[in-house]
Amino acid sequence: MTTHEEIERKYEVDEDASVPDLSDIATVEPAGELLLTADYFDTDSGDLAAHLVVLRRRVGGGDEGWHIKFPAAVGRTELHWPLSIGAAEDAYHDAPASVPAEVIAPILALVRARPLRIIARLHTRRTALHLVGDSGQRLLELADDRVEASDVAAGTLRIWHEWETELLGGAPESPQARSALLDAVEERLLAAGARPAASASKLATALGRTSLAPAQQAASLDRASPASEILLAAIGALVADIARIDPLVRLDRPDSVHQLRTRVRRLRSLFVSYRRVFNRAVTDPIRDELQHLGVVLGEARDAEVMRDRARALIADHDALVAGLGTRLVDGWAGAYSDAHGRVLAELSSPRYLALLDSLDEFLARPPLAEDAFASARTAIPPALARDLNRVLRTAKAADAAQTEPERIELLHATRKAAKRLRYAAEAVSAGVGGVFGRRVRTVAAAAEAIHDLLGEHRDSSLMQEYLRATARSGEHAFDYGVLHEVERHGAALCLADYPGALDDLKRLR
C-alpha cells in the first residue's frame, strides 16, 4: 500500500469547452489520453458515503488499482493498492467478486461485516496536460474528463464534462504558494467558461448528489430540551469521531492513538457522569468494553508520550555526550511499536467491532432512565455538581494522606476525577451539545488546569523512574542524573501551581 495527499479542484464545463492556454503560468506539456474504468463500492446503507470515504477499483492510468480516499484537513488522503492484490482477473480486467481483505482493513470500523457492493460504474475519457516548473518538476495536472456514469441501484446513466486540477509532487511546499498556483489556473479556467463543480466527487455526481453524505437536519437544542437529547448529540459526535479517527490509527498517523483514546475516555466519562439519564443495565457493559479498549490504547499512548518526552529532553540538552539519547529514546520507540501492533490487532478483533455495533444500537434506540425526560437545565447541573464535589473530596483526601505513596495515588485519583468533570462540562458547553454557557465552560477550564498539572506531574514521575533504572544499568549515569533533576524540578513546579488551580475550582462550587 502507498499513500499520498490529494489536493484538487473540479469544474463543470459545457460539452464543447476547450482548455485555455496556460503557458504564461508554467511550461505546458501534454500528458496523453487515457480511458479509465472505475467501480465504486459501498454498503447497502451507505456507510462509507456517510463518512465521506470513497472506495474504488480503477483500471487504466498510471495509478490503476484499488483506492480509498479519506477526508483530510486539506484535500484528501488516498491509499492505493495494485490490481494484483485483488482476486484473480481475466484479460479484460473485470472487477473481482469481492474487495480484498487488505483493502477492507483500513475501513473495517465503517463497514464491519456488512457486504460491499458496486454502487456506480464510471468510464472516463481523459486528456491530460502537466504544468512544469523551471527545473523540470511537475507542478500540476489538468485533466479534461468526459464521463459516463451508471448509478447501479437506480439504473440511471449520467454524462458530463469536467475539468480537474490536481497538485503533483513538484508543487510548491508552502500552502500559500500551492493556493496561488491553483488560483492562477482557476482564473484562466473560469475565464474560459468553467464553473466550480457543485460536487468535489465524481461518485457523488454519478449518484445525482452534490455531496456523498446524506442531508441531515440538525436538531435545535437549548436548555429546555430533554437532557437525553443534549447528551445523545454529544455521544453521537464522539461515536462519529471514533469512526473518523480509526483509519488514522491504522495508518499510525501522528497523535491518532491519543485522539482515539480521548474519545473512548470521554464516552466512558459521560456514561458515568450522566448515569441517571441512561439505563445502566445497557451502559455499564458498554463502559466495560470501552475500558478494555482504553487500556490497549493506553499502553501505546503512554509509550508514545515517554518516547516524545525523551526526545524533547535530549533535544533541550544537546550539550550532553553524543549518543546519550539512543537508549533513552529507542527503548520507548520499541515499546510504542510493539504496543501499536497490539492496537491494530484489537481494532480488527470481533470484540471491537461488537463494541461499535453496541454504540450504534445505543444511539438508534437509547435506553432512557429517570432523568432522560427532564430538561437539561434541571438534570445537567446536579450531575456536574456531583462530579465537582468528587474532585474536591479526592483532593482533600490527598492533602490528608499520611504517606507519600498514598498521597501520590490520591493525586492520581484527583487527576482522573478532574478529567471526568472536564469531559462532562465540555459535552454540554461546546460542540453539538453546547447549550450551557460561560459558567460551565469556566468549570471545564478549571478542571482541565488541574488535570493538566497533575498529568504532567505523573508523566514526569514515570520518566524519573525510567531515568533511574537506565542509569543503574549502563554508562552515562551522571548525565542521566542531570536529566533526572530536570524532570524532578519540572514535577515540583507542577505541584507548586496545583493548589492555585484547585482554589480556582473551589470558587466555582
Side-chain angles (χ1 to χ4, degrees), residues 252-440:
D252 199 14
R253 292 302 171 90
D255 203 44
S256 58
V257 170
H258 174 224
Q259 293 300 323
L260 185 57
R261 184 192 190 196
T262 297
R263 270 50 173 200
V264 168
R265 284 180 159 183
R266 284 181 183 270
L267 280 173
R268 286 193 70 236
S269 290
L270 294 187
F271 286 143
V272 175
S273 295
Y274 299 108
R275 55 191 175 275
R276 299 183 184 181
V277 176
F278 302 111
N279 186 346
R280 291 187 60 181
V282 175
T283 59
D284 281 0
I286 295 176
R287 280 182 52 219
D288 291 343
E289 291 304 301
L290 288 168
Q291 182 178 31
H292 168 76
L293 176 59
V295 169
V296 178
L297 291 168
E299 293 175 356
R301 176 56 182 167
D302 290 347
E304 184 180 37
V305 167
M306 291 296 104
R307 179 200 66 192
D308 294 345
R309 194 177 191 93
R311 286 174 177 167
L313 266 178
I314 298 301
D316 290 344
H317 298 82
D318 56 4
L320 298 172
V321 296
L324 176 64
T326 301
R327 290 177 61 207
L328 194 59
V329 174
D330 288 357
W332 285 115
Y336 171 75
S337 180
D338 292 343
H340 186 262
R342 292 190 290 275
V343 168
L344 294 182
E346 184 65 30
L347 296 187
S348 297
S349 70
R351 184 172 187 173
Y352 172 66
L353 300 180
L355 168 61
L356 298 182
D357 288 341
S358 296
L359 290 170
D360 287 348
E361 176 68 17
F362 172 88
L363 292 171
R365 283 170 282 277
L368 303 180
E370 55 188 292
D371 283 354
F373 301 101
S375 68
R377 66 165 57 94
T378 300
I380 299 297
L384 293 176
R386 287 192 294 269
D387 278 356
L388 192 155
N389 288 331
R390 181 171 177 266
V391 177
L392 299 182
R393 285 196 309 271
T394 311
K396 184 176 181 179
D399 289 342
Q402 299 299 307
T403 65
E404 186 62 13
E406 181 186 5
R407 175 172 171 267
I408 293 300
E409 190 60 32
L410 285 168
L411 285 176
H412 179 46
T414 303
R415 179 182 68 86
K416 292 193 292 185
K419 179 172 58 180
R420 180 197 293 182
L421 171 61
R422 172 194 170 187
Y423 290 164
E426 288 179 343
V428 298
S429 64
V432 291
V435 299
F436 287 85
R438 182 172 61 184
R439 177 172 176 79
V440 175

Side-chain angles (χ1 to χ4, degrees), residues 21-272:
D21 181 17
L22 304 175
S23 59
D24 60 331
I25 299 176
T27 300
V28 177
E29 292 185 354
E33 294 187 4
L34 297 168
L35 180 61
L36 309 174
T37 302
D39 289 332
Y40 288 79
F41 294 77
D42 205 341
T43 64
D44 289 339
S45 52
D47 296 289
L48 296 181
H51 292 89
L52 305 180
V53 175
V54 172
L55 166 60
R56 77 180 178 202
R57 178 184 181 276
R58 188 166 75 182
V59 176
D63 66 342
E64 69 175 4
W66 291 93
H67 303 90
I68 297 179
K69 297 185 180 187
F70 294 103
V74 178
R76 293 184 290 186
T77 298
E78 181 175 308
L79 313 185
H80 172 253
W81 295 261
L83 289 174
S84 58
I85 202 170
E89 303 156 322
D90 62 24
Y92 297 99
H93 292 291
D94 287 342
S98 61
V99 181
E102 296 92 333
V103 178
I104 293 177
I107 53 173
L108 187 60
L110 302 181
V111 303
R112 297 170 217 171
R114 296 183 280 271
L116 287 160
R117 310 186 192 283
I118 295 174
I119 59 169
R121 283 196 167 105
L122 273 67
H123 299 277
T124 303
R125 190 171 298 279
R126 169 170 293 178
T127 303
L129 61 83
H130 291 159
L131 295 189
V132 181
D134 295 337
S135 301
Q137 73 276 25
R138 296 190 304 158
L139 306 173
L140 176 145
E141 179 176 273
L142 171 59
D144 183 352
D145 289 346
R146 297 178 184 274
V147 186
E148 295 183 3
S150 299
D151 180 337
V152 173
T156 303
L157 177 66
R158 294 182 172 90
I159 301 174
W160 70 91
H161 185 196
E162 72 176 29
W163 292 340
E164 176 182 295
T165 59
E166 180 178 354
L167 295 179
L168 299 178
E173 293 186 4
S174 76
Q176 296 83 358
R178 287 170 174 256
S179 293
L181 174 60
L182 288 166
D183 290 345
V185 174
E186 180 172 285
E187 182 180 354
R188 305 299 193 280
L189 301 184
L190 296 180
R195 304 168 297 279
S199 171
S201 166
K202 279 186 171 69
L203 174 58
T205 305
L207 299 176
R209 306 176 190 169
T210 57
S211 172
L212 287 176
Q216 294 180 341
Q217 185 173 0
S220 178
L221 301 173
D222 56 32
R223 296 183 200 181
S225 301
S228 56
E229 291 188 11
I230 303 296
L231 295 171
L232 285 170
I235 291 169
L238 291 171
V239 172
D241 271 357
I242 288 176
R244 175 181 59 83
I245 299 167
D246 173 288
L248 304 180
V249 174
R250 296 174 190 272
L251 295 171
D252 199 14
R253 292 302 171 90
D255 203 44
S256 58
V257 170
H258 174 224
Q259 293 300 323
L260 185 57
R261 184 192 190 196
T262 297
R263 270 50 173 200
V264 168
R265 284 180 159 183
R266 284 181 183 270
L267 280 173
R268 286 193 70 236
S269 290
L270 294 187
F271 286 143
V272 175

